[in-house]
Amino acid sequence: MLYFYSSYRSTESVRINHALHLVAPDHLLYQQPSIVKGRTDVVTVTPWLAPIVWEKTFNPELLDSIYRQQNISVVATVFAVGKYVMFLKDFLETAEQHFFVGFRVHIYVFTDRPDEMPQVEMATNRAVTVRTVPSSNRWQTISARRMEFIQTLIEEKLQGSTDYIFCLDVDSKFHGHWGTESLSGLVAVIHPGYYRDPRSKFPYERRAQSSAYIAVGEGDFYYCGGAFGGSLDEVYLLVKTCRLNFEADAAEGIEATWQEESHLNRYMWINKPSKVLSPEYLWQDFNPRRQEIRIIRFSGVDKNYADIRPNN
Ligand code: UDP
Ligand code: MN
């Protein structure tokens, strides 16, 4: 795309990659950044120098003003198959309050019960579209096939019109700001259940026959299957790869321990995320609150698995 940026005085145009070139508005006033004062209780950068996003490591007003100039469009996907439709109302209502407020947002809901879609009022420039998917009598299949349906959605609808996409679990609510600070090429979220554990304890797929295999002594973090995202191109590659690997495993009669989450972890180990979101971005209501968690932005609600899943 050809684009004139404000400090470029020549009449020539230059080719700009929006994802890498961040332009702030002229004379915007904000707090002076520091390289010696900041959070010291948590690690804010990975060994491959990707930011790890925690509260108080970024300035939301500054970031919003940069991305507003790019007029970005953000898609979120969410699946509500079978009884999981009951989570949609809270998910959608709280997304209206916290998720990319003020930006162009399109939420795609995948369900087998389109008649049970709750009516949620959406702000200007925000929309919900329902896509019908088949039911299944195995929760493992419902969870894992998300990769395939997201791939199809990107191919059929999103390519060329969407800048960023986030793929989220429905059994969760937003409680705090989730916005432009989360944008990057490939974005992973640290799982709230394992972030203080040695990697030998991570529930990676440990059978070498699976294409999701990660050996003991390998891996970086344990990432969530319930939230990931990034630029449309990066997420397209991720969902396509995880789907292919999941299906290749199935052809060999093997299903990874945590289905698509295991494949996602393997993918993110090899393809390092360019931004990592702290467990603020997917907490679990039943977890005790910890000191380093200064804000909970998105959290899985307590649920009775036996009541809502089609199988145990
Ligand atoms: N899901 C669904 N119906 C089911 C099981 C799963 O729609 O019967 C979808 C839903 O979006 C859910 C996601 O798959 O949030 C992952 O499953 P779940 O949240 O039960 O896994 P957990 O977060 O408990 O590991
Ligand atoms: Mn969940």
Side-chain angles (χ1 to χ4, degrees):
M1 182 185 293
L2 294 181
Y3 177 69
F4 293 100
Y5 61 104
S6 60
S7 59
Y8 197 75
R9 302 280 179 206
S10 154
T11 51
E12 266 177 82
S13 59
V14 285
R15 213 163 275 277
I16 295 293
N17 180 335
H18 280 257
L20 298 174
H21 190 100
L22 304 180
V23 182
D26 246 0
H27 302 296
L28 183 73
L29 294 176
Y30 52 90
Q31 195 185 2
Q32 180 188 352
S34 171
I35 62 160
V36 286
K37 282 208 181 101
R39 283 195 66 165
T40 53
D41 58 333
V42 288
V43 175
T44 60
V45 66
T46 68
W48 59 95
L49 299 178
I52 306 175
V53 182
W54 295 91
E55 178 67 350
K56 299 282 180 227
T57 60
F58 61 91
N59 180 329
E61 290 78 34
L62 172 59
L63 280 161
D64 278 3
S65 66
I66 292 169
Y67 284 100
R68 201 165 315 283
Q69 305 205 107
Q70 297 186 10
N71 191 25
I72 54 161
S73 61
V74 179
V75 157
T77 62
V78 67
F79 287 72
V81 176
K83 291 188 184 162
Y84 280 61
V85 286
M86 69 161 72
F87 298 113
L88 273 174
K89 190 168 193 296
D90 281 353
F91 176 93
L92 293 169
E93 284 180 356
T94 59
E96 277 300 281
Q97 291 158 18
H98 300 292
F99 185 72
F100 286 93
V101 174
F103 287 86
R104 292 195 284 143
V105 171
H106 199 141
I107 301 181
Y108 285 88
V109 175
F110 295 77
T111 183
D112 58 338
R113 299 184 182 184
D115 297 345
E116 292 178 37
M117 262 301 286
Q119 287 304 311
V120 174
E121 212 176 304
M122 305 293 287
T124 319
N125 286 326
R126 298 171 72 96
V128 175
T129 297
V130 179
R131 281 170 81 94
T132 306
V133 288
S135 316
S136 169
N137 52 17
R138 281 187 81 235
W139 64 263
Q140 295 90 337
T141 308
I142 297 169
S143 191
R145 284 192 76 189
R146 289 185 288 179
M147 294 294 186
E148 170 193 341
F149 291 120
I150 296 165
Q151 179 190 343
T152 312
L153 172 74
I154 294 176
E155 288 167 354
E156 288 179 3
K157 290 268 173 223
L158 307 186
Q159 260 156 1
S161 67
T162 302
D163 299 312
Y164 295 97
I165 178 169
F166 288 92
C167 310
L168 305 171
D169 262 21
V170 74
D171 59 332
S172 348
K173 284 191 222 177
F174 293 88
H175 300 275
H177 171 93
W178 179 327
T180 49
E181 76 285 355
S182 65
L183 297 176
S184 191
L186 182 61
V187 181
V189 181
I190 304 273
H191 195 294
Y194 303 93
Y195 70 96
R196 290 170 156 270
D197 290 339
R199 57 186 167 190
S200 59
K201 283 202 189 161
F202 294 165
Y204 290 148
E205 174 54 58
R206 301 297 190 185
R207 292 166 296 177
Q209 312 92 281
S210 168
S211 54
Y213 175 59
I214 300 180
V216 172
E218 298 176 342
D220 300 307
F221 306 108
Y222 193 74
Y223 301 113
C224 293
F228 60 90
S231 72
L232 197 74
D233 291 347
E234 286 283 353
V235 173
Y236 182 58
L237 197 58
L238 178 150
V239 294
K240 218 165 127 174
T241 308
C242 289
R243 177 202 178 171
L244 272 176
N245 290 340
F246 186 84
E247 289 176 359
D249 275 14
E252 299 289 322
I254 187 163
E255 182 178 273
T257 329
W258 288 106
Q259 297 79 35
E260 81 296 345
E261 184 172 81
S262 306
H263 288 276
L264 174 121
N265 269 279
R266 161 81 198 189
Y267 184 90
M268 295 281 190
W269 174 47
I270 303 299
N271 306 272
K272 302 294 192 205
S274 55
K275 189 170 274 184
V276 172
L277 306 181
S278 70
E280 297 167 357
Y281 289 81
L282 186 42
W283 196 245
Q284 279 165 335
D285 286 356
F286 62 75
N287 279 2
R289 185 73 175 259
R290 303 203 63 124
Q291 216 177 3
E292 64 271 17
I293 306 295
R294 297 196 187 168
I295 177 176
I296 293 171
R297 304 172 190 281
F298 187 57
S299 181
V301 301
D302 291 337
K303 61 186 194 288
N304 182 342
Y305 285 101
D307 281 352
I308 53 162
R309 280 182 171 174
N311 61 313
N312 288 302

